[in-house]
Amino acid sequence: MALDIESIYKEHNALLEGHFLLSSGNHSAFYLQSAKVLENPKTAEILAKELAQQILDYGIVLDCVCSPALGGILAGYELARALDVRFIFTERVDGKMTLRRGFEVAKNERVLICEDIITTGGSAMESAECVKSAGGIIVAFAGLANRGLCRRTKTNGTYSMGKSKEVCKLSQDIPLFALADFDFELYDAKTCPLCKDSVAYKPGSRN
């Protein structure tokens, strides 16, 4: 029986309603706070195993999971543990995503990029570029949840929608796996109707 991801987020007070500024710069009336879900190790393990099963059922073979810091670290680590592969992360140095702390990627090493939430996929693509520059091969992207901007791959060979929306930054020829789609409307910061009544708040890791 498939997990009810929306119910899990609500149960952990991780599906917030209000006026939020997303990492992409867009505004939204809803915010997914995955840290609230992942603070319970048992819940994190259950979600990671469910996501790992999707990846294995699709036939993806990988050697390593890499996540962009800070938001993707817990999700990526748990996914790597579920897949029994090593885990590394990238982080921003002077605004640029970088592979450091002694982490290395072998030539042609097969790497999956994991986020907690896939919105436009910008941070995931920055991590992917770091891995590719080091000689690795990106075999898939993954996230606990998908904001519905990027087309999600399903294990039966179908997709969550016809094609990704224009703002999606992920490579379209690489599979994206997630436990659920949360297709909330996004607003451009310059034309956001919510701004008439309140100021956008960013509860995430990049304030």
Side-chain angles (χ1 to χ4, degrees), residues 184-206:
F184 303 133
E185 188 168 3
L186 300 181
Y187 304 107
D188 184 276
K190 296 179 180 179
T191 58
C192 173
L194 304 174
C195 289
K196 296 177 182 178
D197 301 313
S198 61
V199 177
Y201 165 65
K202 183 167 177 54
S205 58
R206 290 168 59 190

Side-chain angles (χ1 to χ4, degrees), residues 54-66:
Q54 280 192 26
I55 294 162
L56 294 173
D57 288 347
Y58 193 80
I60 298 294
V61 178
L62 66 148
D63 306 302
C64 175
V65 172
C66 176

Side-chain angles (χ1 to χ4, degrees), residues 66-69 86 88-93 95-100 103-106 109 111 113 122-138 141:
C66 176
S67 291
R86 76 185 186 102
I88 60 176
F89 61 86
T90 61
E91 55 192 307
R92 294 186 189 279
V93 178
K96 182 179 180 181
M97 198 69 81
T98 306
L99 190 67
R100 55 195 299 254
F103 289 140
E104 295 181 352
V105 176
E109 186 170 9
V111 181
I113 305 295
S123 295
M125 278 303 297
E126 290 180 72
S127 288
E129 290 304 319
C130 290
V131 169
K132 289 193 290 185
S133 294
I137 299 171
I138 306 302
F141 295 100

Side-chain angles (χ1 to χ4, degrees), residues 6 9-10 27 33 43 117 125 132 153 155 161 179 184 192:
E6 182 173 345
Y9 269 77
K10 288 180 177 178
H27 292 196
Q33 183 61 283
T43 302
I117 306 294
M125 278 303 297
K132 289 193 290 185
T153 305
T155 55
M161 54 187 176
L179 296 176
F184 303 133
C192 173

Side-chain angles (χ1 to χ4, degrees), residues 96-175:
K96 182 179 180 181
M97 198 69 81
T98 306
L99 190 67
R100 55 195 299 254
R101 300 181 187 272
F103 289 140
E104 295 181 352
V105 176
K107 185 177 181 180
N108 295 327
E109 186 170 9
R110 297 163 296 190
V111 181
L112 178 147
I113 305 295
C114 181
E115 273 272 38
D116 54 346
I117 306 294
I118 297 290
T119 304
T120 63
S123 295
M125 278 303 297
E126 290 180 72
S127 288
E129 290 304 319
C130 290
V131 169
K132 289 193 290 185
S133 294
I137 299 171
I138 306 302
V139 296
F141 295 100
L144 297 182
N146 178 37
R147 284 295 300 252
L149 303 178
C150 300
R151 185 176 67 168
R152 178 166 62 98
T153 305
K154 296 185 177 181
T155 55
N156 61 4
T158 62
Y159 299 94
S160 59
M161 54 187 176
K163 61 180 181 179
S164 296
K165 297 181 181 179
E166 190 174 337
V167 293
C168 178
K169 298 178 181 179
L170 295 184
S171 298
Q172 297 301 289
D173 58 340
I174 298 176

